[in-house]
Amino acid sequence: MNIENLYRNSASHPDWEGSFTERLREYGEWNSNEFWKLHKELTELAGEFSSAESIPKVVAANIVSLQKSVCTSFAAHFNENDVFSIKDISDEQLHEYMERFDMVILGVFTGQVLPESSFDAVNPLLENN
């Protein structure tokens, strides 16, 4: 199981700089390339855990922490009283990415991921599945 990119998106990881969450939280930048890498890894994790009775605590904790971090940035972006904003992405695109993010997080825990053809925003790193 390759989950290095998942761990890299944790602020405590030594290689956090340049990760999707570092660019989002520190600079308000939605880095699509890094997002799709993370999304692909989460999709693969969903497949690996699809028949598992449980997910290792360390993996689950990292996923929940990642989700909390991204959702906090998303909420701050849409809060008119918050100075944080995500740059260089339309609100519509941001909602599409968040839909993908939410669905893949759910997929890790349920083992069910919708095919790419179900979405307008398609991960270019995944084969047509």
Side-chain angles (χ1 to χ4, degrees):
M1 169 182 358
N2 179 13
I3 53 177
E4 183 58 31
N5 199 33
L6 173 63
Y7 293 148
R8 180 174 178 244
N9 278 275
S10 170
S12 63
H13 193 278
D15 196 26
W16 185 59
E17 194 170 314
S19 69
F20 170 72
T21 54
E22 187 264 346
R23 299 305 301 173
L24 179 62
R25 289 174 52 188
E26 299 295 324
Y27 303 101
E29 174 185 306
W30 190 276
N31 185 317
S32 296
N33 292 332
E34 289 299 317
F35 172 79
W36 288 127
K37 287 179 193 176
L38 178 60
H39 178 271
K40 180 178 188 270
E41 188 170 280
L42 289 167
T43 300
E44 291 169 352
L45 279 177
E48 289 183 34
F49 291 131
S50 64
S51 62
E53 288 296 316
S54 63
I55 297 173
K57 283 183 181 182
V58 68
V59 175
N62 272 276
I63 291 169
V64 170
S65 177
L66 170 68
Q67 183 180 31
K68 180 184 178 291
S69 174
V70 174
C71 288
T72 299
S73 296
F74 181 78
H77 173 79
F78 288 103
N79 182 343
E80 62 186 38
N81 296 320
D82 198 312
V83 297
F84 180 83
S85 69
I86 301 172
K87 302 178 216 86
D88 300 327
I89 187 169
S90 72
D91 288 351
E92 182 179 335
Q93 289 172 308
L94 187 55
H95 279 287
E96 288 178 7
Y97 277 113
M98 284 304 296
E99 177 186 30
R100 298 308 313 275
F101 183 70
D102 288 342
M103 294 304 292
V104 78
I105 294 288
L106 182 61
V108 173
F109 291 101
T110 65
Q112 299 174 353
V113 176
L114 293 173
E116 287 298 299
S117 60
S118 301
F119 301 97
D120 291 332
V122 175
N123 185 337
L125 303 176
L126 294 174
E127 295 295 322
N128 296 333
N129 58 11

